[in-house]
Amino acid sequence: MTHALSDLCHSPMLVLAIFVLGIGGTFQYGFQISVLNSPSPYIKKFLNETWLMRYGAALEDWKLNLIWSFIISLYAVGGLIGALNAGHLAVKYGRKRCLLSNNFVAIAGGVMMGLSRRAQSFEMIMVGRFLYGINAGISLNVQTMYLGESAPKRLRGLVSMTVSTFLSTGKLSGQLLGLNEILGSEDLWPVLLAFSVVPALIQLVSLPFFPETPRYLLIDKGDQVQCEKAIQRLWGKGDYRSEIHDMVLEHAAIKGEKSKSVLELILEKSLRWQLLTVIVTFTTLQLCGINAIYLYSFDVFRAAGIPTHQVRYVALGTGLCEIFTSLFCGLLIESTGRRVLLLRGYWCMALVLGLLTVTIFLQDQLIWMSYCSMALIFAFIFFFGSGPAGVTAPLPGEIFNQACRPAAFVIGGSLNWMGLFIIGMIVPILVDTLDYLCFIIFLGFCFFSGVYVWFYFPETKGKTVLEITEDFQKMHSKTQIEAAETVEKHKELQSVTSTKL
């Protein structure tokens, strides 16, 4: 644990890169998820006033709710479009240039948001929300690619985990700045919605000082000299021949193959289990019940005796819990491994959901049960943040080679955004219809995802992409002979490449 932190501290440029990428990447994603909650009454009032000024009549409740739902959902629509194009853009222009250009999308969205009230146009809020979604869809994929391709093998898990940490920080920042006492007031809500311009400008000014990712330079561009220079800048002075050797092996393994499209990856039979792993983990990330937990937490806090007007302040504790658990997971991931964190996360989340269903059922009969429910909510967030939330996002970068990686991130990112849109639509309905029994549905997703990981997902800790590919083939080969042949081919490739080096 401390060894990994010590190694990271010896690479100050890599630490700075983590911050610059995070603040303009998943911080933006998390911020936009939570930022509309507090100022929603004032924004709805603005919608009504604008409609009245234009058409001489106030909006009916159903029309107001429809427009508001449309504004909320546009973020997921934009995110899906961004995710679908992220792989192509990252391959064509490089990870660094793609992220730099993406900041202009966020700045344009912020300008639209900030000027919406002055222009008396709620359509500008819609456009801004859509642009924020495109920005987040691209950055979520490309930031994770950049970090995974820039980190040394021994720090890959810790560095990639920062994606989750900045996402959680963004969520908490949206909740915090959205308080009436800060920017969530009737006068300042346009400033709050335009705040994302600040992180975008920070990344736009800072990122040019960092190199392109070493793996992209060597494997995609075939430029070993620039790759070595990038490694020295990011990791500091040292002997990194073994890391470069692994990249050369991967470059030789794909034999100059161009990046695969999404369709080509889906049709590639040898990668079916890796693809299924991405589908299972990214789908469960949204269908594990975390959104229902957050939605139900307000009722649980009120049942525990917390006054309604103070519930939002207590809810900040859930955001803090998610940040601390993601940091905790980052410290554990290199020693514990991805497989263990996923297993523990899925099955403990399933257990917590089952217990939470019981405690909520009993809290009308036993007053102290509401405190048990509150503790279980924080327990769920802990297991979510220290497992699936941190491990899932960088997973495509670990189990796919350079040729397949962009397409794998597109698939994972698209599933994430589609899940976010669907969950946003159905969770309120499920809670209204099934009440606390809706947790049973999410319990099933968590349990069976844990079963999948137990039987079909090998450990990736400290392994190269080629070694992980071998492990998948060993687990799923029809015979041990096939697996042995694969291992033998890899050994031959290693010996040939070592001779060339």
Side-chain angles (χ1 to χ4, degrees), residues 77-98:
V77 174
L80 178 60
I81 292 173
L84 287 171
N85 288 281
H88 164 72
L89 294 172
V91 171
K92 185 175 182 179
Y93 300 106
R95 284 52 163 157
K96 178 182 169 181
R97 288 174 63 191
C98 182

Side-chain angles (χ1 to χ4, degrees), residues 48-65:
N48 225 337
E49 289 174 349
T50 305
W51 194 274
L52 181 63
M53 182 186 69
R54 290 181 186 177
Y55 305 109
L59 276 169
E60 297 177 42
D61 287 343
W62 71 270
K63 287 183 180 179
L64 180 61
N65 290 332

Side-chain angles (χ1 to χ4, degrees), residues 169-277:
T169 306
K171 282 185 186 178
L172 180 63
S173 300
Q175 292 175 317
L176 191 61
L177 293 178
L179 296 175
N180 284 338
E181 295 82 355
I182 305 180
L183 294 178
S185 64
E186 188 167 7
D187 293 330
L188 294 176
W189 65 260
V191 179
L192 175 67
L193 299 191
F195 178 80
S196 287
V197 170
V198 177
L201 286 173
I202 292 173
Q203 188 179 86
L204 188 61
V205 172
S206 306
L207 194 56
F209 296 99
F210 296 89
E212 182 56 86
T213 71
R215 300 185 73 86
Y216 177 79
L217 290 170
L218 197 153
I219 300 175
D220 284 80
K221 295 300 181 181
D223 193 338
Q224 186 168 335
V225 174
Q226 289 300 318
C227 168
E228 290 174 359
K229 288 181 179 179
I231 286 176
Q232 294 290 338
R233 284 183 64 189
L234 286 170
W235 302 353
K237 300 297 181 182
D239 183 4
Y240 302 112
R241 281 179 294 182
S242 63
E243 296 276 356
I244 295 170
H245 175 66
D246 289 338
M247 295 183 203
V248 172
L249 278 177
E250 186 177 339
H251 183 57
I254 61 177
K255 299 173 183 175
E257 181 183 355
K258 292 184 178 180
S259 295
K260 291 183 181 292
S261 67
V262 171
L263 182 59
E264 287 172 337
L265 179 58
I266 292 172
L267 296 177
E268 181 60 59
K269 292 183 179 180
S270 64
L271 297 172
R272 289 284 168 84
W273 285 103
Q274 286 96 315
L275 182 60
L276 184 58
T277 299

Side-chain angles (χ1 to χ4, degrees), residues 24 29 74 221 240 275 335 369 414 441:
Y29 172 56
L74 274 172
K221 295 300 181 181
Y240 302 112
L275 182 60
S335 58
M369 274 294 175
S414 300
I441 298 172

